[in-house]
Amino acid sequence: MPKREEKPKLVKMRRVGQARKFGVAAMTLEELVKKGSKLFQISASKEKLQCCLFEDGTVLTEDYFQHLPDNTEVVLLSAGQSWSGLVYDIGQVLGLDRHTDELISAAKNLLMDDGKELPAKRRKLLGDLLYNLKDSAELESRVDDEGWFEGIDSRFKTKSAYMKYNCEQRIRGYLKEVDGHAQTIQNAKKKAEYKKLVVSMAERLKSLRYHGCYFDRTEKERNRLCTNEGWFTCQGAFDQEKCGSLHSINPYGNRESRILFSTWNLDHRIEKKRTVIPAIVDALHGNKSSDINMDYFYKLLFTRENLKLVHIVCHKKGAHDLTCDSRQFYKQAKKTSR
């Protein structure tokens, strides 16, 4: 029998699947198990109960118990139960429905019970969890989720309609930049041809509704960037195949996510201002707008062929060092040798 300490050992005990913890003081592991049995009203014999560490699931022995630091978190296990530590906890969270009251209650209890005792990082994680639980993505109409529409013009009656408009505005912004570049062209003839090309692009954009389908979850899968629930996934920086941080967001879920989504970028891999627009101007040197392969430049400026949806952290604002394909500047192949 190991030598007992003069004062009882203080631990925080919980049950499997429960977030709330209770402080328990005991001189021995046997006493701890007995108190835990009484605390949780378990009518099982002491042989069928055991304690393990919350952190990694290590089963406690008497000697191990005597060397635990105060306030160690432990889990009381009944016969047949097991605990694999935090991995189990994460699995439980992922396995629960996102609207389960039990999950919301557990997170709130952790924040309330531990208060200032929780490390800042842990409080942040719990806060983020609760923030994401405020999810009403399954609701679509303004009538059903008025909070989501706070600050949005009353003409928008559904989330999808607003998100479609949001994307359209981004694409319209790109068109405005392309159009505005005409003022920097000194040569009158080239400027006139440039404007003709921009008008043609604008007409195509209008006919395709400015590609608002990219953000509209009610669109066909091949036309949108999100799941049918409204989840968007970061596609990674312009020079990467995917996002290494696995960024994702559902702006349909709540007002906060909708606002945060505005910081995500539809980033041009081949840069719009530095590369694509100057390439159009160069291609018009000695040529008419009717000679230009508008399809190629249109795709680079306004479509997913050259656009990547990226989290603000993955948006690299430095030079992309990617160039346009000069072989595709003109409609006729013979002009590619220029």
Side-chain angles (χ1 to χ4, degrees), residues 128-233:
D128 287 347
L129 174 62
L130 285 172
Y131 156 73
N132 283 293
L133 287 173
K134 293 186 296 181
D135 184 285
S136 57
E138 77 282 1
L139 302 179
E140 173 69 9
S141 72
R142 190 176 199 120
V143 174
D144 293 331
D145 194 3
E146 292 183 0
W148 191 92
F149 290 86
E150 184 179 339
I152 294 177
D153 193 285
S154 60
R155 74 179 186 273
F156 295 105
K157 306 302 181 184
T158 66
K159 294 179 180 179
S160 296
Y162 174 77
M163 291 301 297
K164 185 174 183 177
Y165 168 79
N166 182 282
C167 187
E168 289 174 359
Q169 289 302 100
R170 297 195 190 204
I171 301 299
R172 284 175 184 268
Y174 299 157
L175 176 62
K176 186 176 181 179
E177 290 181 59
V178 176
D179 184 38
H181 187 80
Q183 303 306 315
T184 68
I185 301 175
Q186 301 301 313
N187 183 283
K189 184 177 180 181
K190 182 185 291 187
K191 183 175 183 178
E193 294 299 324
Y194 180 87
K195 285 187 173 182
K196 289 180 183 178
L197 192 65
V198 173
V199 168
S200 297
M201 289 183 174
E203 290 175 350
R204 177 174 295 186
L205 276 172
K206 185 176 180 180
S207 69
L208 295 172
R209 299 181 181 181
Y210 298 91
H211 300 287
C213 57
Y214 293 164
F215 291 177
D216 183 356
R217 65 178 178 180
T218 65
E219 285 282 346
K220 294 181 180 179
E221 184 176 359
R222 66 175 180 271
N223 296 328
R224 51 181 159 84
L225 284 166
C226 59
T227 67
N228 55 9
E229 292 88 7
W231 281 97
F232 291 82
T233 301

Side-chain angles (χ1 to χ4, degrees), residues 16 20 34 75 103 116 139-140 202 221 273 319 337:
V16 172
R20 191 172 184 183
K34 285 182 179 179
V75 180
L103 182 55
K116 296 181 180 179
L139 302 179
E140 173 69 9
E221 184 176 359
K273 285 186 177 181
S337 59

Side-chain angles (χ1 to χ4, degrees), residues 282-283 287 291-293 328-332 335-336 338:
D282 289 343
N287 295 283
D291 297 324
I292 304 301
N293 182 3
Q328 300 195 57
F329 284 8
Y330 305 99
K331 292 179 180 179
Q332 297 179 8
K335 291 196 173 186
T336 61
R338 294 178 75 256

